[in-house]
Amino acid sequence: MSAQQAGCFITVEGIEGVGKSTNIQFIQDWLKERGVSFIVTREPGGTELGEQLRELLLHGGNVNDDAELLMMFASRAQHLNEKIKPALKKGQWVICDRFTDSTYAYQGGGRQLNVSHIEQLENLVHGDMQPNLTLLLDAPVEVGRARAAKRGAFDRIEAEDLAFFNRVRDMFIQRSAEHERYCVVNANQPLDAVQESIGAALAQLKEKVDAL
Ligand code: T5A
């Protein structure tokens, strides 16, 4: 936690359909029960500008890969300054459905863009500010795709093929091994087992924060 940050920043990551939205609901209930003040937000999106960019990214026409990368970070720059940092400063916890790890996974892994360009943009937009905890919900691509398909038509990114999503998953797994803030949760098991693991990770973080 940085000097000016009072709240905790939690990001939830993973491929499509692994249960991010479902488990963010669980996280909200968990925090409410313990009287923790929090906000829930998402990327791309979270602000008026970010939501407009999200619409273009997911439902717009042709988007060049570099333009896609820059739009993800444009949304993030607005989001961090307008919403995330002010909430953390007030002592609220911030639960964010996807963050920069998704850019490494989708634009770096999936689209195979140069990872050093992502690092440069990350440095420009959030310097060394990182989540306190990143919950990576992990399941085989086929499992996530089958769950997501039940929801209806795929958006522009969801329409990519299995090889793309396997590269995305591999990049998430690679990053989870490189960064201590990650907690990898097996999302290919019944929901109550998934939520038991998430609850344990939250309890550990809260214990750490309460001891400060
Ligand atoms: N993106 C995003 C980038 O390319 N770069 C970036 O930098 C960023 C930030 C955003 C898209 O943008 C891309 C990635 C994405 O393609 P999104 O809406 O945030 O899109 O993400 P999606 O992954 O598309 O969200 P989904 O709604 O598809 O997936 P969720 O939230 O992971 O899954 P959820 O909770 O809706 O669950 C899906 C279904 O599975 C069931 C649920 O009940 C639901 O029906 N389910 C389970 N069933 C059985 N067992 C379990 N354990 C289950 N958990 C959930």
Side-chain angles (χ1 to χ4, degrees):
M1 219 173 292
S2 76
Q4 335 139 298
Q5 184 183 326
C8 275
F9 184 25
I10 301 177
T11 55
V12 183
E13 297 281 6
I15 54 164
E16 341 289 302
V18 282
K20 292 176 298 301
S21 312
T22 309
N23 288 298
I24 284 175
Q25 188 54 56
F26 168 79
I27 296 172
Q28 295 189 60
D29 295 342
W30 194 97
L31 293 173
K32 262 186 217 153
E33 272 170 32
R34 285 154 187 84
V36 176
S37 170
F38 66 89
I39 62 162
V40 174
T41 188
R42 67 175 181 182
E43 290 207 349
T47 62
E48 198 180 330
L49 175 65
E51 291 296 328
Q52 286 169 354
L53 288 166
R54 180 185 178 95
E55 185 57 30
L56 291 169
L57 280 160
L58 302 188
H59 305 291
N62 178 33
V63 182
N64 165 270
D65 289 353
D66 287 337
E68 181 178 274
L69 173 65
L70 292 167
M71 286 162 81
M72 293 295 175
F73 272 105
S75 166
R76 186 161 299 134
Q78 188 73 21
H79 195 200
L80 275 163
N81 289 295
E82 187 179 320
K83 197 164 178 182
I84 298 177
K85 285 184 187 169
L88 290 172
K89 212 169 166 186
K90 278 194 278 178
Q92 290 183 298
W93 286 36
V94 175
I95 316 306
C96 192
D97 189 341
R98 300 190 179 279
F99 192 61
T100 302
D101 293 294
S102 275
T103 312
Y104 280 98
Y106 284 78
Q107 282 64 51
R111 300 265 187 247
Q112 300 178 291
L113 297 185
N114 189 331
V115 169
S116 73
H117 292 162
I118 303 178
E119 284 166 353
Q120 283 169 27
L121 289 166
E122 176 183 35
N123 208 22
L124 171 76
V125 170
H126 55 102
D128 59 2
M129 183 200 168
Q130 292 293 343
N132 300 100
L133 171 67
T134 296
L135 291 163
L136 172 60
L137 303 179
D138 180 58
V141 169
E142 292 78 359
V143 171
R145 305 277 292 159
R147 289 184 193 162
K150 285 195 208 140
R151 219 192 25 209
F154 285 151
D155 62 38
R156 193 182 63 83
I157 296 177
E158 286 170 337
E160 292 294 337
D161 61 14
L162 279 185
F164 176 94
F165 288 104
N166 276 311
R167 289 196 298 275
V168 171
R169 184 187 182 205
D170 289 347
M171 181 63 93
F172 274 130
I173 292 171
Q174 184 189 318
R175 288 183 61 76
S176 74
E178 293 167 354
H179 300 279
E180 235 180 88
R181 65 184 156 83
Y182 265 88
C183 169
V184 183
V185 176
N186 174 8
N188 188 20
Q189 53 178 343
L191 201 51
D192 54 356
V194 173
Q195 295 184 340
E196 200 179 308
S197 304
I198 293 176
L202 293 174
Q204 203 180 21
L205 177 63
K206 186 160 186 310
E207 206 173 294
K208 217 161 90 185
V209 170
D210 289 347
L212 288 178

